[in-house]
Amino acid sequence: MVEDVVRTLGFLCLGSRLRRIGERLQADTQQVIDEAGLGIQAGQYPFLAAIDRAGPLTIGELAQAVGITQPGATRTIGQLLELGFVDMQPAPDDQRRRLVSLSDKGRELVDHSKATIWPRVAAAVADLCGDLDGPILEQLAAIEDGLAALPLLRRSTVTGPHALSAAQ
Amino acid sequence: MVEDVVRTLGFLCLGSRLRRIGERLQADTQQVIDEAGLGIQAGQYPFLAAIDRAGPLTIGELAQAVGITQPGATRTIGQLLELGFVDMQPAPDDQRRRLVSLSDKGRELVDHSKATIWPRVAAAVADLCGDLDGPILEQLAAIEDGLAALPLLRRSTVTGPHALSAAQ
DNA sequence: GCTAGATATATAACATGTTATATAACGTTC
DNA sequence: GAACGTTATATAACATGTTATATATCTAGC
């Protein structure tokens, strides 16, 4: 059996580890969605949820709401357009901006998801996290806030001389 | 200010959220590595660490050690070969398998990193996680083990009839 | 000994994040 | 009013994960 070094190395590999767990959770969530035959990607749901909650949003606002860069949001909204779940029109007061809203089909999908899949996924993940020794969601919020407040580069608690000179 | 729906939706978007935090942590780690001028990607370090700890490993073993699929490991090892940090030769007893080992240059990088960058990154991340209300590393281990033991699809604590029929 | 199934890796194609850059539109200043 | 800086989005290119498939090698069974 091969040692899981990402797990073993703990804080050193926390970034890789969080991504890994995130991908597995997204893959598992995708299975639940596929079983329901909804024809949507797990990563697309947060966009629909954002519009559902806030009404029509611009590409930039959607990028912020979901926490990715603007080109990433542009691509995913393009996919949702092709799938017919959203509509897009230029903002009346500023033609640079485009407003993305739910189409009838998207509205239907969101209403259905809120009634069925979303509670199912949320409950399954809550079950997975049920025995954890701490409030994982708050802890993740603290990590995100902590990174925003003070990036790693500015955190250094290593005592002694810093070997910042370049290797070889 | 736009609402962060991934944060707001909690367990429903945990997968996206973990990926997001993981990417940010990797990006921050990359900044620390770049400042040290080491010419390596944060995602490549676990491969070197695995070989450092266990000696020469096959592609398949490296994929397992780092927790990604075999084609992903093949690609990253290819990059480390080009950078000159690893060597590769066919296993003497089975020509299907290739054994990846640290080159002299790779050995030098790992020894240097263990003395400088790795403690620095680990300390910075430990600092970031210092005020958390629970042992995050153990919690992540519990999540990974929980997912492996029982995928989301088989977790369902929602009471009442399951709306598994396909939407529209 | 030969064949078929299994195993290990490489490659292709795809998905989804990123950074860099181009283009269009807006607003402020002169 | 024109020009320049800023803002918003689209597109290109890249990075890195995935699944699917191809190729090479090994082993067990007949």
Side-chain angles (χ1 to χ4, degrees):
Chain A
M1 182 46 150
V2 181
E3 179 195 34
D4 183 342
V5 293
V6 167
R7 179 184 291 221
T8 302
L9 292 178
F11 286 127
L12 182 59
C13 293
L14 187 59
S16 298
R17 190 150 182 221
L18 291 172
R19 274 191 73 193
R20 184 171 90 177
I21 300 176
E23 284 185 21
R24 285 178 191 160
L25 255 185
Q26 271 191 319
D28 271 42
T29 303
Q30 191 61 53
Q31 284 188 319
V32 178
I33 294 165
D34 288 345
E35 192 190 61
L38 293 176
I40 191 167
Q41 301 302 313
Q44 290 168 334
Y45 259 141
F47 289 83
L48 298 177
I51 301 168
D52 174 53
R53 295 173 70 90
L57 292 170
T58 67
I59 299 284
E61 288 167 338
L62 282 161
Q64 274 189 283
V66 175
I68 63 172
T69 60
Q70 168 264 317
T74 296
R75 179 193 281 132
T76 303
I77 291 303
Q79 290 164 345
L80 289 170
L81 267 173
E82 277 195 29
L83 290 166
F85 291 127
V86 298
D87 295 323
M88 183 159 69
Q89 56 269 338
D93 58 331
D94 188 336
Q95 280 180 318
R96 289 175 295 182
R97 292 154 80 247
R98 311 284 188 79
L99 282 173
V100 183
S101 53
L102 290 181
S103 63
D104 290 341
K105 185 180 168 187
R107 168 55 52 202
E108 201 175 313
L109 172 67
V110 167
D111 288 344
H112 177 76
S113 299
K114 284 158 96 174
T116 59
I117 295 301
W118 289 5
R120 177 165 158 65
V121 167
V125 176
D127 182 57
L128 173 69
C129 299
D131 294 336
L132 295 185
D133 200 7
I136 188 74
L137 295 178
E138 280 99 73
Q139 288 165 290
L140 294 175
I143 291 177
E144 290 195 281
D145 292 341
L147 261 190
L150 193 63
L152 285 195
L153 200 50
R154 291 171 55 201
R155 289 174 190 265
S156 174
T157 53
V158 179
T159 55
H162 292 302
L164 292 180
S165 55
Q168 64 194 341
Chain B
M1 180 48 150
V2 181
E3 178 194 35
D4 183 341
V5 294
V6 167
R7 179 183 293 219
T8 303
L9 293 177
F11 286 127
L12 181 60
C13 294
L14 187 59
S16 298
R17 191 147 182 222
L18 290 172
R19 275 192 72 194
R20 184 172 90 177
I21 300 176
E23 284 186 20
R24 284 178 192 161
L25 255 185
Q26 272 190 321
D28 271 43
T29 304
Q30 190 61 53
Q31 283 188 320
V32 178
I33 294 165
D34 289 345
E35 193 191 60
L38 293 176
I40 191 167
Q41 301 300 315
Q44 290 167 336
Y45 258 141
F47 290 82
L48 297 177
I51 301 168
D52 176 52
R53 296 173 69 92
L57 293 170
T58 66
I59 297 285
E61 287 167 339
L62 282 162
Q64 274 189 284
V66 175
I68 62 172
T69 61
Q70 168 264 318
T74 297
R75 179 193 281 132
T76 303
I77 291 303
Q79 290 165 346
L80 289 170
L81 267 173
E82 277 195 29
L83 289 165
F85 291 127
V86 299
D87 296 322
M88 183 158 69
Q89 56 267 339
D93 59 330
D94 187 336
Q95 281 180 316
R96 290 174 296 182
R97 292 153 81 246
R98 311 285 188 79
L99 282 172
V100 184
S101 52
L102 291 180
S103 65
D104 290 341
K105 184 179 168 187
R107 167 57 50 203
E108 202 175 312
L109 172 68
V110 168
D111 288 346
H112 177 76
S113 298
K114 282 159 96 173
T116 58
I117 295 301
W118 290 5
R120 176 165 158 65
V121 168
V125 176
D127 183 56
L128 173 69
C129 299
D131 294 334
L132 295 185
D133 200 7
I136 189 72
L137 295 178
E138 279 99 75
Q139 288 166 290
L140 294 176
I143 291 178
E144 291 196 279
D145 292 340
L147 262 190
L150 193 62
L152 286 193
L153 200 50
R154 291 172 55 200
R155 289 173 189 267
S156 174
T157 54
V158 180
T159 56
H162 291 301
L164 292 179
S165 57
Q168 63 195 339

